[in-house]
Amino acid sequence: MKTQSKLYFYLIISAVLLIMIAVLSLNTGVYDFGGNSPFMILWQFIKGDPGLSLSDQYVIWDVRAARIVMAILIGGMLSVSGTSLQGLFKNPLATGDLIGLTSGATLLAAIAIVLGGHFKEYFPEAVQFSLVGISAFAGSFLSMMLVYKISTSGGKTNVVMMLLTGVAITAIGFSITGFLIYILKDEQLRDLTFWNLGSLAAATWTKNIILAVVMIIAYIILLPKGKALNAMMLGEKDAQHLGINVEKLKKQIIITVALMVGTCVAFSGTIGFVGLIVPYILRLLFKSDNTFILPLSAMCGSILLLTADTFSRSIVAPSELPIGILTALMGGPIFIAILVKFKKSL
């Protein structure tokens, strides 16, 4: 009970910090509300004030608020996906972008962007609307299955093989995407650049609803898996002796992570290292207790991505720095720190 109370305490602290950053983010921007506070404009919109101008309404609700919510949703899902994979494979380098999931999702999303116009009309309207999202999920899922099949033998996962497979998938994705860039028209080239650099600029409430549904489903499946992942740290055979259905656990995590990564890539492009940075910091604080790390990673991932997005909108204002550049800049040193730590333990 004491452990549970401690977890609730940290979750509350994280939630308060997230709200504070959201308030700061809502106030960040070059748009002039005519001397009014953004919160006053937001309150007027919520009340349905007929005197509120359409431009103020659009900026505060459809641009800033929608973008804040998308950062919270995507940041949490990317972080939880990385934490889940690291717990499953028992290695802190097992994140969606390092083992090829993000590259696979980006590749099929790029193909859908470039070639989708030629065969969209043959699909139902619902599929046409979400073709890029479906393609991103398919790319993420296929990459995850390929990595798992190649790197796992006799019930054991070879981490070196897993990372090398991820490198191979990333290289293939990069080469095909490069070919697509070579043959693209200007408009398609801009869309594809968006996927490669990562951005939350295209946030809409429709996308946020889809992300929220995926997030709720994924969290219901993954967040209670803390004890099972702790048991997996002992080895698969020991976990089975403790009553864990190892194969079922693997399938649930692989499919759910593929769904989360694919959906995030479909709406925000390539945002790397979030699933590496947050779990690494949390493990420094709470060791390898996944009952703590999983729920906290959801909150801290949201904090990280919302902070990064707020900086991306303000560093070179009125222009915007792609958020994928910032997360890569933060994640690179941490990746090196993990490698150095492993080298010392050898």
Side-chain angles (χ1 to χ4, degrees):
M1 190 66 182
K2 185 178 179 181
T3 302
Q4 199 76 1
S5 300
K6 190 177 178 182
L7 174 60
Y8 289 148
F9 172 76
Y10 286 118
L11 286 174
I12 291 171
I13 294 297
S14 300
V16 171
L17 181 58
L18 180 60
I19 292 171
M20 292 172 61
I21 297 172
V23 169
L24 175 65
S25 184
L26 192 66
N27 278 284
T28 301
V30 296
Y31 182 81
D32 184 9
F33 289 101
N36 293 322
S37 164
F39 292 99
M40 183 182 297
I41 301 296
L42 181 61
W43 179 244
Q44 287 178 306
F45 172 76
I46 293 172
K47 289 194 304 181
D49 187 347
L52 182 64
S53 71
L54 292 177
S55 58
D56 287 354
Q57 173 182 322
Y58 174 76
V59 170
I60 200 65
W61 183 251
D62 294 313
V63 176
R64 292 192 187 177
R67 186 165 180 154
I68 289 169
V69 171
M70 179 174 277
I72 291 171
L73 295 172
I74 290 180
M77 284 196 284
L78 290 177
S79 181
V80 169
S81 68
T83 305
S84 301
L85 288 177
Q86 290 165 21
L88 180 65
F89 291 115
K90 302 182 286 294
N91 190 281
L93 297 177
T95 62
D97 40 310
L98 293 180
I99 65 174
L101 267 68
T102 303
S103 296
T106 303
L107 173 60
L108 287 200
I111 292 174
I113 291 172
V114 177
L115 304 177
H118 298 289
F119 52 81
K120 264 188 177 181
E121 59 188 41
Y122 300 107
F123 294 115
E125 188 174 344
V127 175
Q128 292 181 24
F129 177 74
S130 55
L131 182 61
V132 175
I134 293 171
S135 301
F137 166 68
S140 177
F141 180 75
L142 291 174
S143 298
M144 183 74 257
M145 293 304 299
L146 183 61
V147 169
Y148 179 71
K149 290 292 184 183
I150 293 176
S151 61
T152 303
S153 177
K156 293 184 178 180
T157 301
N158 187 312
V159 176
V160 175
M161 287 296 295
M162 178 182 66
L163 293 175
L164 290 176
T165 305
V167 170
I169 292 173
T170 301
I172 293 170
F174 178 79
S175 63
I176 297 176
T177 304
F179 173 73
L180 293 174
I181 290 174
Y182 180 75
I183 64 173
L184 285 181
K185 300 176 182 177
D186 288 343
E187 183 179 348
Q188 292 174 323
L189 182 59
R190 284 194 297 270
D191 290 339
L192 196 51
T193 302
F194 161 78
W195 297 109
N196 285 332
L197 295 179
S199 174
L200 302 178
T204 66
W205 287 106
T206 301
K207 293 177 181 178
N208 285 341
I209 291 171
I210 296 171
L211 285 167
V213 171
V214 171
M215 183 194 73
I216 291 170
I217 294 171
Y219 283 6
I220 288 174
I221 295 171
L222 294 180
L223 294 188
K225 296 288 189 293
K227 290 183 178 179
L229 289 175
N230 286 344
M232 288 288 288
M233 298 293 289
L234 303 172
E236 293 186 10
K237 289 185 178 180
D238 289 333
Q240 286 177 332
H241 289 314
L242 293 172
I244 305 298
N245 189 332
V246 174
E247 289 306 313
K248 182 180 179 181
L249 179 67
K250 287 180 179 178
K251 290 176 182 177
Q252 287 178 333
I253 291 178
I254 287 172
I255 293 173
T256 307
V257 166
L259 175 62
M260 286 196 295
V261 172
T263 308
C264 291
V265 170
F267 293 148
S268 66
T270 306
I271 299 178
F273 289 103
V274 175
L276 178 76
I277 298 170
V278 175
Y280 176 73
I281 294 173
L282 290 177
R283 283 193 173 90
L284 290 178
L285 298 174
F286 303 106
K287 305 301 179 183
S288 295
D289 188 354
N290 288 291
T291 57
F292 260 79
I293 295 174
L294 268 174
L296 280 175
S297 66
M299 296 296 297
C300 294
S302 298
I303 291 171
L304 174 66
L305 195 60
L306 182 57
T307 302
D309 185 58
T310 304
F311 273 108
S312 75
R313 294 193 289 115
S314 56
I315 290 177
V316 291
S319 299
E320 176 184 325
L321 186 69
I323 195 171
I325 295 176
L326 283 179
T327 56
L329 189 62
M330 291 186 289
I334 290 181
F335 183 67
I336 293 173
I338 294 174
L339 294 177
V340 171
K341 185 177 179 181
F342 272 166
K343 181 181 178 180
K344 290 180 178 179
S345 64
L346 292 176

